Amino acid sequence: MDKYDEMKALFELANRKYLIEQKKLIQSGVSERTLCGQLMLYLNEAKEKTLYRHYYVDVEYNRNINRRLKTIKDGEGDIIKINCDLIVHSRGENVAQDNLIALEMKKSSGRIHEKEKDKERLKALTRQSFDNIWSYDGKSLPEHVCRYILGVYYEINIIREEVLIEYYKNGKLFNSYTIGI
């Protein structure tokens, strides 16, 4: 099993339990931050039983090494500050593989423009580098955040009682499906 499959399995294990145990909370219409906070707990629990137990699961994390703000380059090459709804990462402690999972959560009633921005962010975060400026050497982290193994777009539709899940890998949409709540 490659790292992408490991991360996908880890996420799906946590998500199955989350959807079962937090169904009423999800259906109640609470904020995305509350829902991400709960999903964070399930991801944290699931990773504790893996080789990735030394990694952290954070909500709205926006710092990089030396407390710099995390940035990416958008499709036009502009540098933009970012924070993801939820990430699994080493907080810079494991240079060989700092970033594991980046998740962006939206409700289906959200603005289409915001949903598209989240998807573009996941593409950027799962790239191996930006314009081949930084080449992975195992000793230093890139200037702009990248190399997440798995990007997850997570869209909750309360009315239909379902979640759209899109997986991103190497800067591209890799898989998509809908699951019932």
Side-chain angles (χ1 to χ4, degrees):
M1 182 181 300
D2 69 5
K3 286 188 184 214
Y4 170 82
D5 290 329
E6 287 179 26
M7 292 303 106
K8 186 177 168 199
L10 174 68
F11 170 75
E12 288 180 349
L13 174 68
N15 187 50
R16 275 192 299 276
K17 192 170 182 184
Y18 167 73
L19 289 175
I20 291 167
E21 293 182 8
Q22 297 300 325
K23 182 176 182 173
K24 287 183 182 178
L25 180 71
I26 296 166
Q27 293 172 329
S28 74
V30 297
S31 73
E32 291 166 16
R33 280 190 199 119
T34 299
L35 297 173
C36 277
Q38 286 298 311
L39 183 53
M40 175 191 75
L41 298 173
Y42 289 89
L43 267 169
N44 196 52
E45 179 184 323
K47 73 148 180 82
E48 287 302 315
K49 300 170 186 146
T50 71
L51 297 171
Y52 305 101
R53 65 185 162 277
H54 300 295
Y55 281 76
Y56 303 91
V57 184
D58 289 314
V59 175
E60 302 277 340
Y61 192 89
N62 69 346
R63 297 291 170 183
N64 211 343
I65 298 300
N66 300 323
R67 299 187 302 172
R68 291 183 325 204
L69 286 172
K70 286 190 173 206
T71 60
I72 60 171
K73 282 191 173 182
D74 67 10
E76 297 167 13
D78 295 328
I79 297 171
I80 54 175
K81 296 174 187 169
I82 64 148
N83 63 337
C84 276
D85 290 334
L86 187 135
I87 60 174
V88 181
H89 63 142
S90 77
R91 295 183 186 158
E93 295 171 9
N94 183 344
V95 175
Q97 186 60 64
D98 183 34
N99 301 318
L100 301 179
I101 300 173
L103 181 138
E104 293 289 357
M105 183 182 285
K106 285 285 183 255
K107 291 185 179 178
S108 61
S109 58
R111 294 184 178 133
I112 293 172
H113 174 71
E114 293 299 317
K115 294 176 189 180
E116 291 305 316
K117 277 177 45 179
D118 282 355
K119 293 175 184 187
E120 289 302 313
R121 186 177 306 115
L122 291 168
K123 288 176 185 175
L125 290 169
T126 58
R127 285 186 195 134
Q128 293 301 305
S129 69
F130 290 94
D131 301 325
N132 296 318
I133 294 169
W134 175 78
S135 170
Y136 170 67
D137 63 6
K139 298 175 187 167
S140 61
L141 293 169
E143 180 180 353
H144 306 293
V145 183
C146 59
R147 291 193 76 239
Y148 276 89
I149 295 170
L150 174 66
V152 180
Y153 177 74
Y154 196 91
E155 186 175 309
I156 299 169
N157 188 320
I158 297 169
I159 295 168
R160 288 185 167 169
E161 295 189 355
E162 63 186 24
V163 177
L164 167 66
I165 299 172
E166 294 181 353
Y167 292 124
Y168 291 82
K169 175 182 175 183
N170 294 325
K172 295 183 176 128
L173 174 62
F174 195 72
N175 190 13
S176 177
Y177 65 93
T178 303
I179 186 171
I181 300 174

